[in-house]
């Protein structure tokens, strides 16, 4: 059942038990808060009242919180905003990054060195929050969704990881296509990319998660709360527990919801913020173990 | 061309994002072209224009959104007003920096930042190492993959989400308080207590990132020669002696490298985590340099002052990174860029 090497002594019973206990504790430590939040979001008002708050043992289940959230209003809108920004942003970032990683993957090509230097130098010094804000504002991007996408569209780090991967593809593979007259775009699309599915998936996940989680850029650049992405809504209504009616600006409200949001609804917002990550993650996870992102950590 | 890369090793390129063996390659390349006489610009353009075109969008974005705002830092030497603009705002020399040096709240924020870094070095930094050793000892591959999948996951949650989850567990209305009250004890609120703030943020960081942090140590563990373990076991070394004499020395280079790099980033403790909790916990404990810049500028409109603080932080950070890389090189490690 195990692949213990022949020279290793069998673990002692106490040792094995302790190890198992520790691992269980760690796993439960990660999963329990998520379980509790999900269960509370699916509980009836009575179950929440009976538990005196968060529900840990299922009693009455209902989808009421989700029905209310998606009946149109602040949360529905913010989910759509977050989804849109994530899809468009990831598409742009991934395209730009793949192209540049390939374009910079051949040392000795024209302007290769200064361009690479430009990319690498961004590791050492960030421009800082205030100048960033001034730039975004002078480009007229305040209160546009582009302010959530363009400033972080290319991460030098992702670009460099991808480039390193492309550089490991042997020249012979692409050379024959080049001799047959294929241009670089075609080589990238038909030969290099199919060989790089893993790294593309991982970098895509990094970008997508970044956009889905984007919070501070929205706080900084979006004054109009009708444009808020989900993370800002999560902070406002769950972390700070504000009432879901946003009176003065006349933003859409939850029908029949004038009190501070009930716990179930708050937890449902948390689940909605969590769910896409939970869904996409298992499909990309297997690439982590293949060493694709070892480089990703060392930065 | 590729034979050059082959020499840096197939994995070598992946494991050094900044270096990626480039400077070396370029230099070799340079010496070769000197001998072989460079091709004229026109013919290189004809050969490489497609590659150039591909790199252009990314380079353009970096220029506009990284290098242009870098220049925007000049407002730190001005009395900038958004209504007047950079071109017409009066220059004030180093006045903003002088004010900054006598600003108690700036030094408080600096001290908080360094305290958090130091605390996390002691209480966060070893966690991924220990966790990696523990995970590595799980022999059943499927079980190990399963646990890895779970502990990596929180890395992909946003800070808003992580802080919210902690609030639900340890806040005033959280599960722990709720359970304590049910049993007749008084509840407590970890989320608003400045005295335990260091513990709180470190616990959050451990929950979110310790699992993900194991990846690099797991890779280092996998690279340790298994024959060493066998030889030691045959010679009668116990499990713990093997851990001490083989596993730890095997991890040492990675530990040293990450430690040095973390010191280079001493002024960066992450922004959102503190931004989110500053109001609940209070400025005295939760104000770090980044949040200082934010609140001074965007709430009071002291643009130049905030930019000056940001610039100081950036420059000191740069110096720290350069020093830490020098030290990394001294230890025979690569650092984030190569020795030149």
């Amino acid at each position: 059942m195990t692949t213990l090497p022949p020279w290793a002594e069998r673990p002692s019973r106490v040792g094995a038990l302790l190890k198992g206990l520790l691992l269980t504790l760690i796993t439960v430590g990660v999963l329990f808060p998520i379980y509790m939040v999900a269960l509370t979001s699916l509980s009836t008002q009575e179950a929440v009242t009976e538990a005196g708050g968060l529900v840990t043992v299922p009693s009455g289940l209902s989808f009421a919180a989700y029905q209310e959230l998606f009946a149109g209003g602040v949360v529905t809108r913010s989910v759509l905003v977050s989804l849109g920004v994530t899809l468009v942003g990831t598409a742009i970032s991934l395209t730009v990054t793949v192209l540049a990683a390939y374009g910079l993957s051949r040392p000795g090509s024209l302007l290769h060195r200064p361009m690479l230097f430009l990319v690498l130098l961004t590791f050492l010094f960030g421009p800082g929050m205030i100048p960033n804000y001034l730039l975004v504002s002078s480009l007229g991007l305040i209160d546009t969704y582009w302010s959530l996408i363009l400033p972080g569209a290319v991460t030098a780090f992702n670009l460099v990881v991808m480039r390193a991967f492309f550089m490991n593809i042997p020249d012979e593979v692409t050379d024959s296509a080049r001799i047959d007259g294929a241009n670089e775009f075609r080589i990238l699309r038909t030969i290099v990319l199919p060989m790089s599915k893993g790294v593309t998936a991982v970098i895509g996940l990094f970008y997508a998660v970044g956009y889905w989680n984007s919070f501070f850029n929205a706080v900084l650049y979006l004054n109009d709360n009708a444009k808020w992405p989900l993370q800002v809504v999560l902070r406002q209504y769950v972390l700070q527990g504000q009432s879901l009616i946003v009176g003065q600006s006349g933003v859409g409200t939850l029908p029949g919801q004038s009190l501070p949001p009930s716990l179930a609804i708050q937890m449902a917002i948390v689940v909605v913020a969590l769910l896409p990550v939970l869904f996409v993650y298992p499909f990309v996870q297997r690439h982590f173990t293949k060493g694709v992102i070892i480089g990703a950590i060392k930065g | 061309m590729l034979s050059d890369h082959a020499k840096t090793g197939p994995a070598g390129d992946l494991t050094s994002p900044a270096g990626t063996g480039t400077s070396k390659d370029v230099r070799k390349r340079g010496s070769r072209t000197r001998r072989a006489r460079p091709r004229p610009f026109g013919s290189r353009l004809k050969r490489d224009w497609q590659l150039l075109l591909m790199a252009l969008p990314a380079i353009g974005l970096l220029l506009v959104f990284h290098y242009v705002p870098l220049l925007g830092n000049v407002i730190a030497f001005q009395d900038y007003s958004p209504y007047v603009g950079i071109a017409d705002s009066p220059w004030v020399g180093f006045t903003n920096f002088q004010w900054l040096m006598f600003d108690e709240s700036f030094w408080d924020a600096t001290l908080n930042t360094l305290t958090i870094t130091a605390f996390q070095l002691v209480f966060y930094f070893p966690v991924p190492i220990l966790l990696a050793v523990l995970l590595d000892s799980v022999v059943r591959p499927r079980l190990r993959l399963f646990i890895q999948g779970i502990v990596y996951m929180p890395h992909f949650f946003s800070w808003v989400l992580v802080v919210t989850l902690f609030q639900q567990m340890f806040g005033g209305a959280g599960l722990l308080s709720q359970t304590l009250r049910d049993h007749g004890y008084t509840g407590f609120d970890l989320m608003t207590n400045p005295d335990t703030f260091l513990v709180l943020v470190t616990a959050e960081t451990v929950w979110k990132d310790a699992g993900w942090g194991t990846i690099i140590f797991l890779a280092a563990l996998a690279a340790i020669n298994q024959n060493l373990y066998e030889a030691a076991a045959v010679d009668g070394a116990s499990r713990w002696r093997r851990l001490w004499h083989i596993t730890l020395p095997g991890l040492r280079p990675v530990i040293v490298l990450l430690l040095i790099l973390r010191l280079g980033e001493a002024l960066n403790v992450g922004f959102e985590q503190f931004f989110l909790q500053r109001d609940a916990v209070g400025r005295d404990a939760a104000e770090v340099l980044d949040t200082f810049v934010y609140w001074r500028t965007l709430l009071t409109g002291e643009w130049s002052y905030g930019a000056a603080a940001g610039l100081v932080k950036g420059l000191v950070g740069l110096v720290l990174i350069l020093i830490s890389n020098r030290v990394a090189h001294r230890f025979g490690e690569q650092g984030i860029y190569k020795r030149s």
Side-chain angles (χ1 to χ4, degrees):
Chain A
M1 106 192 160
T2 61
T3 50
L4 212 61
W7 46 265
E9 58 275 68
R10 292 203 57 80
S12 72
R13 203 164 261 201
V14 180
L17 199 73
L18 274 178
K19 198 168 91 180
L21 204 68
L22 197 57
L23 285 169
T24 315
L25 219 64
I26 291 167
T27 327
V28 170
V30 173
L31 293 182
F32 180 74
I34 301 169
Y35 158 80
M36 177 186 78
V37 161
L39 184 60
T40 309
S41 76
L42 287 169
S43 292
T44 54
Q45 189 58 49
E46 294 78 56
V48 174
T49 317
E50 194 188 322
L54 293 152
V55 185
T56 47
V57 185
S59 55
L61 294 182
S62 103
F63 281 100
Y66 292 91
Q67 278 165 355
E68 221 160 331
L69 279 192
F70 287 106
V74 180
V75 177
T76 317
R77 189 200 306 255
S78 72
V79 169
L80 292 178
V81 168
S82 279
L83 277 178
V85 167
T86 304
L87 289 177
V88 175
T90 308
I92 291 177
S93 291
L94 205 55
T95 311
V96 170
T97 305
V98 164
L99 282 175
Y102 184 76
L104 291 174
S105 68
R106 241 168 306 143
S109 66
L110 190 62
L111 291 181
H112 171 265
R113 209 176 164 180
M115 288 196 295
L116 189 65
F117 186 69
L118 213 71
V119 173
L120 296 183
L121 208 62
T122 61
F123 278 110
L124 290 183
F125 199 90
M129 188 188 305
I130 308 307
N132 268 337
Y133 180 86
L134 292 179
L135 175 77
V136 168
S137 117
S138 68
L139 290 177
L141 297 179
I142 297 290
D143 273 335
T144 67
Y145 295 126
W146 292 112
S147 68
L148 304 184
I149 296 177
L150 292 178
V154 189
T155 315
F157 179 68
N158 290 343
L159 175 53
V160 168
V161 170
M162 197 143 216
R163 169 179 177 271
F165 196 89
F166 288 166
M167 286 176 79
N168 277 325
I169 295 176
D171 254 3
E172 294 80 45
V173 177
T174 49
D175 272 350
S176 56
R178 207 162 287 134
I179 290 163
D180 289 343
N183 67 27
E184 299 293 346
F185 291 92
R186 198 190 157 105
I187 293 173
L188 174 62
R189 196 163 44 87
T190 57
I191 301 176
V192 174
L193 270 185
M195 290 174 77
S196 316
K197 280 184 192 142
V199 75
T200 313
V202 170
I203 300 288
L205 175 78
F206 285 172
Y207 276 128
V209 164
Y211 284 118
W212 180 257
N213 287 345
S214 104
F215 163 72
F216 184 63
N217 276 354
V219 173
L220 203 55
Y221 302 135
L222 301 182
N223 304 315
D224 178 1
N225 48 14
K227 295 199 166 99
W228 276 352
L230 183 60
Q231 303 292 336
V232 182
V233 168
L234 175 65
R235 180 217 186 192
Q236 212 75 9
Y237 300 122
V238 184
L239 202 55
Q240 302 189 327
Q242 282 183 16
S243 160
L244 262 173
I245 297 267
V246 188
Q248 72 272 34
S249 61
V251 179
T253 56
L254 290 172
Q257 182 75 24
S258 56
L259 297 162
S262 77
L263 194 61
I265 290 183
Q266 286 186 322
M267 293 307 105
I269 301 179
V270 177
V271 172
V272 172
L274 211 118
L275 220 52
V277 179
L278 290 188
F279 262 126
V280 178
Y281 176 75
F283 296 102
V284 187
Q285 191 221 333
R286 60 200 174 96
H287 298 295
F288 292 165
T289 43
K290 290 184 189 157
V292 172
I293 36 141
I294 294 301
I297 309 304
K298 245 186 168 171
Chain B
M1 203 177 294
L2 229 106
S3 62
D4 288 353
H5 312 308
K7 266 175 219 148
T8 54
D13 274 340
L14 255 187
T15 48
S16 59
T20 57
T22 322
S23 57
K24 217 187 202 166
D25 297 336
V26 172
R27 221 179 311 128
K28 265 187 203 155
R29 174 91 201 164
S31 63
R32 196 195 303 158
T33 39
R34 224 173 292 133
R35 254 178 282 123
R37 170 189 299 239
R39 301 170 61 164
F41 181 82
S43 94
R44 286 178 75 191
L45 185 64
K46 203 174 164 197
R47 185 191 64 184
D48 295 333
W49 67 270
Q50 289 174 337
L51 295 177
L52 215 57
L53 196 65
M54 287 170 157
L56 217 57
I59 299 296
L61 278 168
L62 285 178
L63 278 177
V64 173
F65 288 99
H66 194 93
Y67 288 95
V68 171
L70 214 51
L71 297 177
N73 274 306
V74 293
I75 67 161
F77 303 94
Q78 289 184 326
D79 184 11
Y80 173 80
S81 157
Y83 306 105
V84 183
I86 293 184
D88 298 321
S89 289
W91 293 89
V92 296
F94 284 90
T95 314
N96 291 314
F97 296 91
Q98 282 166 349
W99 279 109
L100 202 60
M101 290 305 112
F102 293 106
D103 186 341
E104 227 171 273
S105 49
F106 172 72
W107 289 111
D108 286 344
T110 309
L111 188 68
N112 278 341
T113 310
L114 292 176
T115 313
I116 291 162
T117 296
F119 196 82
Q120 297 203 340
L121 268 181
V122 178
F123 293 100
Y124 168 76
F125 190 81
V127 180
I129 305 174
L130 299 176
L131 190 57
V133 172
L134 183 66
L135 282 175
D136 195 55
S137 73
V138 177
V139 268
R140 266 179 278 186
R142 299 198 86 170
L143 179 68
R144 193 177 130 166
L145 221 58
F146 172 75
I147 301 175
Q148 271 174 301
I150 286 171
V151 297
Y152 291 170
M153 199 169 52
H155 173 76
F156 297 97
F157 297 162
S158 69
W159 271 114
V160 189
L161 198 63
V162 173
V163 173
T164 304
L165 288 178
F166 266 75
Q167 189 193 40
Q168 296 306 324
M169 293 296 290
F170 305 114
L175 186 71
L176 201 58
S177 250
Q178 185 185 310
T179 316
L180 282 176
R181 270 196 300 267
D182 285 350
H183 292 81
Y185 300 96
T186 44
F188 65 92
D189 188 352
L190 200 63
M191 305 303 286
T192 55
N193 187 347
D195 299 328
T196 51
F197 184 64
L198 270 178
V199 181
L200 174 70
V201 289
T202 309
E204 287 167 353
T205 311
V206 167
W207 191 80
K208 189 177 195 290
D209 282 329
W212 185 249
T214 60
I215 290 184
I216 190 164
F217 295 108
L218 284 171
L221 285 170
I224 295 176
N225 186 348
Q226 293 300 310
N227 293 338
L228 292 176
Y229 286 110
E230 182 170 1
V234 170
D235 285 348
S238 71
R239 188 184 300 276
W240 295 108
R241 289 191 76 90
R242 293 203 298 267
L243 188 69
W244 186 255
H245 290 291
I246 300 171
T247 309
L248 270 186
L251 289 179
R252 206 190 71 116
V254 187
I255 295 177
V256 171
L257 176 69
L258 288 188
L259 198 60
I260 292 167
L261 292 182
R262 181 69 191 91
L263 286 174
E265 296 273 309
L267 295 182
N268 290 327
V269 286
F271 175 73
E272 288 188 359
Q273 190 185 6
F274 297 92
F275 173 82
L276 286 166
Q277 298 180 91
R278 178 184 177 274
D279 288 342
V281 173
R283 226 171 47 182
D284 289 342
E287 185 89 293
V288 293
L289 278 172
D290 287 323
T291 56
F292 173 83
V293 172
Y294 174 79
W295 258 280
R296 276 313 281 263
T297 315
L298 291 162
L299 294 192
T300 61
E302 296 171 83
W303 296 90
S304 291
Y305 195 69
L311 196 57
V312 168
K313 183 199 165 238
L315 287 174
V316 174
L318 178 64
V319 171
L320 285 176
I321 291 179
L322 294 179
I323 293 175
S324 65
N325 269 276
R326 182 67 50 93
V327 178
H329 293 159
R330 184 80 33 98
F331 274 90
E333 299 293 337
Q334 258 189 354
I336 58 166
Y337 57 85
K338 284 214 171 155
R339 193 199 306 252
S340 52

